[in-house]
Each structure stands twice: as C-alpha cells, then as structure tokens.
C-alpha cells in the first residue's frame, strides 16, 4: 500500500465536484480520525485519487457504473467512497451487518459492475460476485492505484444509491445526484452552523443517510474533522464525549437510550467527566425516529443539552429541524430547512391550510432524490404534482411540525432503521414450518418499535422464537429479525380475507 502521507504531487484532473475542490482548500486540516490513523484532507485527496485510478483501470470515466462497497466505517470507507465519485461512478454502500442474501440482493438489483470489500469482509462478499460478472477488488488494492487523469464529473450526475424499504416489493435503490447531496449538505451546514473547527464523532452505520450525509459528508464539506469508530459502543462513545474534544454528536433515539443506560452504570467520577465533556460541545442532534420526551429530558439532565430533533428521509435528506438558536420544543421537529419546501395534504392530496389539522407531509426542492433505481412506476407513484409524498403524517402547531406517525402500518422503525413488514413476511414464508404469517410492530422503550410475527404453522411443525431467529439471521439484517412469535390457528382476517394488522398487533400487546 502506498504511504498515504506521501507528499507526491497529485496529478491535476479536470473534475471539480465542490466536495473535492473544497477539500483542496482544507489541505492540511485533519479530515478523518479512524482506527487506521489520522488523515489530512491532502491525504484523502491522494488516496481517493488512487482509488479512482484503480477503479477506472484504463477507462476515462466510470459513467455512472454502480460500485458496491462493503467496508467498515473508517479510512478505507471514506477513501473508497470518494474514489468512486471521482472516477464518475455511483456509490452503493453495503451494510456490514447484513448477511449474504441481503448483500446479494443489493449487488444484483443495483447491477453493480464492481464490488469492493475491506479485506476483513472479503469472504462474505467475494463469493457473491462470482455469480455475477462484477469485478471484485479489495480496498488496499484500490488505494495502491496510480495517479491517473480523472474525468470531469457533472454535478447533475447520479452519485449515491441507498437501499430503503417501502410499502411495496423489496428494498429500492434511492438515487441521489451530486447536486442533491450538495443541497442536502448545504441546508444542514447553514441551519446547524457547521464550522471548519467542528469535530464530530460518527457512530452510525454508513449505509444510511444519517451517517453518510448528516455526519460524514457535512463534516468533510466544511473542512471539519470526522472521528470514526467501526461500530456503535455506548462506553466508547461516552469516553469520546468525556474527552471534551468533540463539538458535535448525532444519533438515533436508541443511541441516546443506550448512552443514558451506560452513563447510569458509570461511577460518579466518570459521570461528572462525561457531563463536563458534553457541556463543552456546541450541538447534539437526534433523528431518524421519534425521540421520546422522556429520553430528551433525561439526556438534558446528563449532558446539559436539549437535543435538537429533526426529521428526514432517505429520499429527501433532512426536511424539518428545530432551531440551532431559539426554543427547541420537545415532541416537535421544527420548521423547514433552507431550500426545502414542506406542506401537508389531506387524503385527496389537497394542501391543508389552517393549523392543527393532520395531513401527509409532502416535500419539494433541490434536496429531493432523482429516482428509485430502475423503477419508473414506483418513482412516478412517489410524487404528486412534483411534490414527494413521504407517507408520514404530521400536524402544525404554532408554526412547528409534530410527527404523528406513518400512513402505512407496514412500515416499521426499529433502532432508527426503517423496515418493511411485507419484505420480512416474504422471507419468513419460505420457512418450512410457516404456512402464512403477518409481521407487525409493538412500541418498545429501547428500540422505538419491536418486530413481532404471528404465524399459521404447517401441520406438525413446532416453531420456536429461538429457532426462527436463528434461521432468519442467515437471511435478514439483524434489525429485521422478529423478537416475538405467536403461533395461531388462523390469522385475524376481514370479510375479504385480508389480514387485519391492528388485530394481529393486539396479540402482542396483551
Ligand atoms: C439489533 N438488535 C435488535 C435490533 N437491532 N433487537 C431488537 N430490535 C432491533 N432493531 C439486537 C441484535 O440482534 C443483537 O442481539 C443486539 O441487539 C446487538 O445488536 P447490534 O447490531 O450490535 O446492535 P447495536 O449496535 O447495539 O445497535 C444499536 C444501534 C443501531 C442503535 C447502534 O440500531 C443503529 O446503528 N441504529 C442507527 C440506524 C440508522 O442509522 N438509521 C438512519 C436511517 S436514515 P443478539 O441477541 O444477537 O446479541 C433515516 C433518515 C433520517 O432514518 O431521518 O435520518
Ligand atoms: P428512512 O426511510 O430510513 O430514511 O427513514 C425515514 C423515516 O424515518 C421517515 O419517513 C419517518 O417515518 C422517520 N423519521 C425520521 N426522523 C423522524 C423524527 N424526528 N420523528 C419521527 N419519525 C422520524
């Protein structure tokens, strides 16, 4: 591997994505602090240039080739992601927590022509590429590439594809362009007052926008420092908060629940150090799922911070946010971010005028994604008069939005991850003991919602939650695995034979 700190001059290339030109201006500042070491912007520019050279392998431009990459949060991840962009490719992040069938689905659906893995994850993903024509490469090989001329990448081009679950079919690739990403990032930089002097800890996964956009890309866009840990660990995060070296932190509500629990288990001296460290920070943000007011209050006692809650979605980046300065009202998600238009509509799609009437949130503006990958019908159905239909219900109170829930019972948010009940059912129906099943969620203090499944068994089956979980873990992401099982004679159905999900949910609430 080439020494990433080498001073060798970088071959000038013609591309000028803002992220890259801004990084040039930040040259000697620290970009990344990761398990592999500490890296300046200059080193990130060089490493990603080499990655781009390797990916190009003699071509002038990847021309929106999908490059799927399975790389833990850290230096190789960032160098890889930037390298894909600089070579003109579309970055398709794979989740390090996913079992092979989920990875294979994304690789195939995206039509990835190149699959990249960190050496520690080669075994999980390389066999999958042998079943497609995809080229396989490891990150050290890529970072060892040559400094060749790079293509001019137009910012209107597709940049990123994040897979997200919906109410129909399997997960869809949400395609955002470089322009979309720029709009999403600059809205947050302005609203949350990002500065080059900021230092943020990234403890979220890098296959979703919360980690990719709000934390990593915002930090690197502004010339700030992003500290990366390979996976969330409450005590490791508390140690960093206690250091007093961070200025920003962002997490989902489950992360704050975990931090509260770990703080409560700490000796008084450590508790004081954590509180002091937090006091010296300028902002802590929560999002991706509803923040319970009790969590906000407890974290305020511990950290002195009123968490800034905001609302967003993979397709639109962030849309609504409580203010950086000014009152943050618990239970609300504030007002539209810069450049984002938000409205509420009724069941007929008509905009709702007066306050205090609930409606579906629709969003318009430069932050909104381009398309679902290779699904023109689903893309068309997601828009209404040029507005993106979020499927979330809200009400406006005193000018601030309050999220009420989702229009569909089949969308579940657990630990900040969105999952589709229908997608889980499809997989569970292939279990030999399951004749029919219905997946629902119940409220859960730690995870927000917990996944439950009611099952009609085949004759003489003896299904247990343990055996089902073991089976499901090999096929589904860990956060999609059901936590409770009820075996029933027949699922509750209406006169048309449709399973009544609210009745199923009652089986688990009793
Ligand atoms: C994991 N476990 C769960 C679970 N997830 N149990 C119930 N419900 C879930 N959802 C179990 C595992 O099976 C395992 O059990 C144990 O918990 C530890 O698993 P883990 O994978 O190590 O979990 P952990 O790292 O502790 O995860 C907690 C977490 C994680 C909060 C760090 O859920 C997380 O990273 N969430 C963030 C998701 C996110 O980034 N969402 C943003 C989407 S974008 P066992 O028995 O096997 O030990 C978006 C837009 C926006 O929403 O607005 O931001
Ligand atoms: P995802 O599709 O994974 O990007 O998740 C987006 C969904 O998360 C939204 O459609 C909402 O349902 C939910 N969400 C995000 N932020 C919040 C929030 N602050 N409060 C309630 N729900 C939220």
């Amino acid at each position: 591997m080439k020494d990433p700190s080498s001073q060798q001059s970088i071959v000038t290339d013609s591309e000028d994505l803002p992220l890259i030109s801004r990084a040039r201006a930040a040259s000697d500042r620290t970009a990344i602090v990761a398990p592999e070491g500490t890296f300046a912007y200059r080193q990130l520019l060089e490493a990603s240039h080499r990655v781009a050279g390797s990916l190009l392998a003699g071509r002038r431009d990847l021309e929106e080739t999908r490059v799927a990459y399975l790389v833990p949060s850290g230096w190789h991840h960032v160098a890889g992601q930037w390298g894909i962009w600089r070579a003109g490719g579309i970055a398709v992040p794979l989740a390090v927590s996913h079992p092979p069938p989920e990875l294979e689905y994304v690789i195939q659906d995206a039509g990835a022509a190149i699959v990249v893995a960190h050496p520690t994850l080669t075994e999980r993903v390389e066999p999958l590429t042998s079943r497609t024509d995809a080229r396989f490469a490891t990150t050290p090989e890529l970072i060892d590439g040559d400094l060749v001329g790079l293509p001019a990448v137009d910012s209107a081009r597709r940049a990123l594809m994040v897979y997200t679950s919906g109410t129909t079919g399997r997960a869809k690739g949400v395609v955002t362009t470089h322009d979309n990403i720029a709009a999403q990032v600059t809205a947050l930089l302005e609203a949350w007052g990002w500065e080059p002097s900021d230092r943020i800890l990234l403890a979220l996964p890098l296959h979703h926008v919360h980690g990719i956009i709000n934390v990593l890309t915002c930090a690197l866009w502004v010339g700030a420092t992003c500290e990366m840990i390979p996976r969330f660990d409450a005590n490791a995060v508390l140690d960093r908060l206690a250091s007093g070296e961070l200025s920003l932190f962002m997490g989902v509500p489950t992360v704050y629940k975990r931090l509260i629990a770990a703080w409560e288990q700490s000796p008084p001296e450590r508790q004081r150090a954590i509180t002091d460290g937090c006091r010296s920070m300028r902002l802590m943000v929560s999002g991706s799922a509803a923040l319970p007011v009790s969590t906000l209050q407890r974290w305020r006692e511990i950290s002195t911070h009123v968490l800034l809650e905001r609302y967003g979605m993979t397709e639109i980046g962030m849309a609504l946010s409580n203010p950086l300065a000014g009152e943050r009202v618990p239970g609300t998600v504030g007002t539209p971010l810069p450049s984002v238009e938000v409205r509420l509509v009724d069941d007929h799609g008509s905009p709702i005028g007066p306050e205090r009437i609930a409606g579906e949130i629709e969003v318009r503006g430069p932050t909104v994604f381009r398309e679902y990958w290779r699904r023109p019908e689903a893309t068309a159905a997601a828009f209404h008069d040029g507005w993106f239909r979020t499927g979330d219900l809200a009400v406006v109170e005193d000018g601030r939005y309050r999220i009420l829930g989702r229009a569909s019972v089949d969308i579940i948010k657990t630990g900040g991850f969105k999952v589709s009940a229908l997608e889980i059912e499809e997989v569970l129906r292939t279990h030999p003991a399951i004749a029919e099943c219905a997946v629902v969620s119940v409220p859960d203090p730690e995870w927000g919602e917990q996944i439950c499944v009611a099952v009609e068994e085949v004759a003489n089956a003896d299904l247990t939650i343990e055996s089902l979980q073991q089976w499901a873990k090999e096929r589904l992401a860990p956060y999609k695995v059901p936590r409770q099982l009820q075996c029933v004679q027949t699922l509750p159905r209406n006169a048309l034979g449709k399973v009544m999900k609210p009745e199923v949910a009652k089986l688990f609430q009793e």
Side-chain angles (χ1 to χ4, degrees), residues 107 109 113 185 248 280 299 395 409 415:
I107 291 168
D109 188 81
V185 166
L248 287 164
S280 70
W299 187 249
V395 66
V409 291

Side-chain angles (χ1 to χ4, degrees), residues 194-348:
W194 276 86
E195 295 283 347
S197 55
D198 275 320
R199 187 174 179 112
I200 191 164
L201 178 68
L202 172 62
L204 291 166
L206 280 171
H207 66 294
H208 283 300
V209 295
H210 198 162
I212 302 170
I213 302 292
N214 298 21
V215 181
L216 182 63
T217 311
C218 277
L220 298 181
W221 194 280
V222 79
T225 300
C226 184
E227 281 191 24
M228 308 175 83
I229 51 176
R231 56 186 307 279
F232 175 76
D233 172 330
N235 280 307
V237 171
L238 288 180
D239 284 344
R240 292 310 299 143
L241 296 181
S243 74
E245 292 168 2
L246 302 173
S247 64
L248 287 164
F249 184 73
M250 297 181 193
V252 301
T254 306
V255 160
Y256 289 104
K257 289 288 281 189
R258 291 279 183 90
L259 295 179
I260 291 168
W263 185 89
E264 285 171 346
Q265 282 164 15
S266 301
E269 203 174 313
R270 183 167 189 252
Q271 290 184 339
R272 273 194 297 280
I274 296 162
T275 301
D276 288 346
C278 289
R279 194 180 286 119
S280 70
M281 295 171 68
R282 70 171 189 85
L283 179 64
M284 295 182 139
V285 179
S286 174
S288 303
L291 175 67
V293 174
S294 57
T295 307
L296 177 141
Q297 285 167 342
R298 187 69 187 115
W299 187 249
R300 180 185 198 164
E301 289 160 8
I302 289 171
S303 72
T304 74
H305 282 263
V306 177
L307 287 171
L308 181 155
E309 185 172 8
R310 59 35 173 206
Y311 160 88
M313 196 172 177
T314 304
E315 287 87 335
I316 57 171
M318 300 303 109
L320 297 160
S321 173
N322 271 286
L324 178 64
E327 193 188 5
R328 298 176 193 162
V329 178
T332 75
V333 290
T335 54
L337 282 159
S339 86
V340 182
E341 286 180 83
V342 180
R343 69 178 188 182
L344 295 181
V345 296
D346 65 18
D347 290 347
H348 307 290

